[in-house]
Amino acid sequence: FKFMGVNDGLELHHDGDLPARSGLGTSSAFAVGMLHALYALKGQMPSTMQLARDAIHLERDILGENVGNQDQTFAAFGGLNQIDFNPDDSIQVKPLVLKAERIRELEQHLMLMFTGLSRNASDVSAEQVRETPHHKPELSAMCEMVHQAKYLLTSATDIREFGKLLDRSWQIKRRLSTAISTSHIESLYETAIAHGADGGKVLGAGGGGFMLFFARPEVQENIKNALGLLQVPFRFEKSGSQVIYYEPDN
């Protein structure tokens, strides 16, 4: 409120469908949505990029959280994008152009599962930040996988190749910090692979929260039963943060 210059009395209500501290970028989604609402309250409509940058500033600089820039940008823009974070601090959002059939195929192969474990992403990320200088080869390999993933999704390549790439990415990510994975997470991952998953990963900073698995639709029920976890159905959305009701003062 101080950042936005709100000095009058204000009552804020928040409803969430998914638990906090679960690797889904909920804190950034909240920051983006709250800032968007406060801008509207002041009779202003910020650009999507300004909204993303303000949320980044709020979380990283004002609150001092160990977070990146990706969640705020995702929440502000929405859609399926390649997002480049450049050394000069500029951000480029490049939408991926996929046929509707390809998007449905991707959605049908993804399983979002809640481990039941919550954690503070800032705490997990703090160790990863400390370890970053020692893992430049791994980070470079993961960065290169972005281009491979883009090709696999935008071409007519067998969609399962994307799942295999996801597995290779996870094998690298889990080595970046001892806080990213746990024995319980490793057991869940191995179980999913044994029952037909092509790949997967822990979402967000790691240490718990949600896991995403890539698997053929016909084996997903077996995976779900073997894991015994809550599955949350989802679809990709296109719009990002929106003000759904706006009536300025006369």
Side-chain angles (χ1 to χ4, degrees):
F1 288 177
K2 185 184 296 184
F3 171 67
M4 289 296 298
V6 176
N7 298 312
D8 298 329
L10 187 64
E11 186 172 337
L12 179 70
H13 293 263
H14 165 249
D15 293 297
D17 295 317
L18 295 167
R21 299 183 177 183
S22 58
L24 295 180
T26 50
S27 63
S28 296
F30 175 83
V32 167
M34 180 177 64
L35 287 168
H36 208 169
L38 293 178
Y39 268 116
L41 181 68
K42 295 168 70 69
Q44 303 172 18
M45 285 297 156
S47 68
T48 309
M49 184 60 74
Q50 180 183 349
L51 198 56
R53 286 194 170 280
D54 283 351
I56 292 168
H57 174 64
L58 178 66
E59 289 198 88
R60 295 183 60 180
D61 302 328
I62 297 179
L63 298 180
E65 295 287 325
N66 292 300
V67 295
N69 297 353
Q70 66 277 4
D71 290 345
Q72 302 89 342
T73 310
F74 290 148
F77 280 84
L80 193 59
N81 308 296
Q82 175 186 326
I83 303 179
D84 295 339
F85 300 97
N86 302 309
D88 63 358
D89 203 36
S90 63
I91 301 174
Q92 292 177 293
V93 180
K94 306 172 184 176
L96 294 188
V97 181
L98 274 65
K99 294 181 179 179
E101 180 181 347
R102 187 65 161 179
I103 294 177
R104 285 195 297 270
E105 185 180 25
L106 178 60
E107 289 175 336
Q108 290 167 358
H109 280 75
L110 295 175
M111 303 177 67
L112 185 62
M113 314 292 292
F114 184 47
T115 65
L117 304 173
S118 296
R119 76 289 177 275
N120 189 314
S122 182
D123 293 341
V124 177
S125 297
E127 180 178 342
Q128 188 171 334
V129 170
R130 289 193 295 269
E131 291 294 319
T132 292
H134 308 296
H135 293 282
K136 290 184 178 179
E138 290 90 342
L139 293 170
S140 295
M142 292 177 69
C143 184
E144 180 58 34
M145 287 181 179
V146 172
H147 303 288
Q148 298 176 43
K150 180 180 178 180
Y151 170 76
L152 292 175
L153 290 178
T154 55
S155 67
T157 307
D158 184 350
I159 194 73
R160 292 186 66 185
E161 292 300 316
F162 184 85
K164 297 174 184 177
L165 182 65
L166 194 63
D167 175 65
R168 295 199 294 273
S169 176
W170 167 245
Q171 299 307 327
I172 295 175
K173 177 177 178 176
R174 59 195 284 269
R175 300 200 302 265
L176 296 179
S177 164
T178 58
I180 289 177
S181 191
T182 65
S183 58
H184 179 59
I185 289 173
E186 293 296 319
S187 176
L188 292 173
Y189 192 87
E190 292 170 4
T191 299
I193 295 296
H195 286 78
D198 292 309
K201 62 172 291 187
V202 173
L203 297 180
F210 277 87
M211 298 182 74
L212 184 72
F213 294 107
F214 188 100
R216 289 167 293 146
E218 58 266 30
V219 302
Q220 290 184 12
E221 191 64 27
N222 289 338
I223 294 173
K224 181 179 178 180
N225 292 336
L227 293 176
L229 301 178
L230 172 68
Q231 181 177 2
V232 178
F234 75 95
R235 294 177 62 184
F236 296 119
E237 64 84 39
K238 303 175 183 178
S239 303
S241 179
Q242 298 181 75
V243 174
I244 59 175
Y245 178 77
Y246 176 58
E247 185 176 334
D249 293 334
N250 294 326

